[in-house]
Amino acid sequence: MVPQITVLPTSVVANADNPPELEIRFDMEPPLPDFNDLNAPLPVNWELRFLHNQLFRYFKFPSRFCPGAFHSTIVRKAEFRSPMHREAYFAMCDAVIKKWRLGGPQPLNNGGWDVDGSELVDPPQHTSGLWLFLDRENITHFFPPNFLPPYDTPEKKKIILEFLRKEWDEETLSWVPAGTKMKRAQDLEEEKGMVVQKEVDGEVAGDLMASLRCW
């Protein structure tokens, strides 16, 4: 099922590479839908996870992998002249993202286009579907939306949420309940915080002992 895809950029970040790649991220917000209330609004960018999970269910091979959050790489091996320039750049990116967010989620394209880039004579109403690329320059296939809006009916929300209940874990290469990776990341941050706190406490205790010896 291909929905009418509308997306909203959520941030611009530097990934963990050294030097890093700069990415426009399209995270699902909130990251965990309300599975109990069919009247609750769907998360922003739900369409991307909805498609991702369908494809991963269909193409069953053990090594299938998706590199984390949905994103578009805009710069590779990014380097900044100084920390001040880096801070100014990301501040500018944040301002642009805020302006984009004012318009809400938008379709991936603004009209009906053929795979060769020519405009369709009689395009369908919904044209923001799934494009397959041979490489960066050549489109090979286009799959128009066949799971059409609106998406606020209980019947369609039930279908959507069923595909969002699980997420693919890149570490174990297996399905896990939605929210598992977020919880793992939170636990890791807490562990890091505890380690830092222990190191600080150890340094304070050492300073106190040194002071006592001086007395």
Side-chain angles (χ1 to χ4, degrees):
M1 291 177 285
V2 181
Q4 168 75 355
I5 304 172
T6 59
V7 296
L8 185 65
T10 53
S11 61
V12 175
V13 301
N15 71 5
D17 294 351
N18 186 24
E21 295 182 354
L22 304 186
E23 303 171 348
I24 304 177
R25 292 174 64 106
F26 299 86
D27 295 302
M28 194 168 74
E29 294 184 347
L32 198 61
D34 189 335
F35 293 108
N36 298 317
D37 185 5
L38 292 179
N39 293 318
L42 291 168
V44 170
N45 296 328
W46 66 266
E47 300 95 329
L48 302 179
R49 184 65 61 188
F50 179 72
L51 274 171
H52 168 277
N53 284 3
Q54 288 186 79
L55 292 172
F56 270 47
R57 286 189 187 185
Y58 184 81
F59 295 105
K60 295 182 179 180
F61 54 94
S63 62
R64 56 196 190 277
F65 174 78
C66 185
F70 292 97
H71 68 270
S72 175
T73 300
I74 54 177
V75 178
R76 298 189 187 277
K77 299 185 182 300
E79 295 185 88
F80 296 90
R81 293 182 179 179
S82 69
M84 182 179 65
H85 286 86
R86 178 189 174 98
E87 183 178 346
Y89 175 81
F90 282 106
M92 177 188 67
C93 291
D94 289 343
V96 173
I97 292 291
K98 287 179 181 179
K99 288 183 180 180
W100 280 351
R101 292 177 73 91
L102 292 175
Q106 299 295 321
L108 293 174
N109 60 304
N110 60 357
W113 310 95
D114 207 341
V115 293
D116 62 357
S118 62
E119 189 171 356
L120 296 176
V121 176
D122 187 20
Q125 180 182 359
H126 302 288
T127 58
S128 186
L130 187 63
W131 300 84
L132 297 185
F133 288 75
L134 178 64
D135 51 44
R136 291 182 179 272
E137 301 294 332
N138 297 292
I139 302 170
T140 59
H141 297 81
F142 172 62
F143 299 92
N146 57 15
F147 181 61
L148 302 178
Y151 302 112
D152 56 359
T153 64
E155 294 79 12
K156 288 187 178 178
K157 278 192 175 180
K158 187 176 180 180
I159 293 172
I160 294 166
L161 293 175
E162 186 60 32
F163 278 100
L164 300 182
R165 285 186 182 277
K166 292 187 177 182
E167 59 189 12
W168 185 255
D169 186 2
E170 293 89 356
E171 293 186 13
T172 63
L173 297 179
S174 63
W175 292 105
V176 295
T180 299
K181 293 190 291 184
M182 179 178 64
K183 178 67 164 56
R184 183 191 298 152
Q186 291 173 345
D187 291 343
L188 183 61
E189 287 299 317
E190 290 179 4
E191 289 178 8
K192 289 181 179 178
M194 292 174 64
V195 169
V196 170
Q197 187 61 48
K198 286 181 179 179
E199 292 176 350
V200 171
D201 292 344
E203 291 176 359
V204 171
D207 291 342
L208 288 174
M209 292 297 295
S211 298
L212 290 173
R213 283 195 293 269
C214 291
W215 283 99

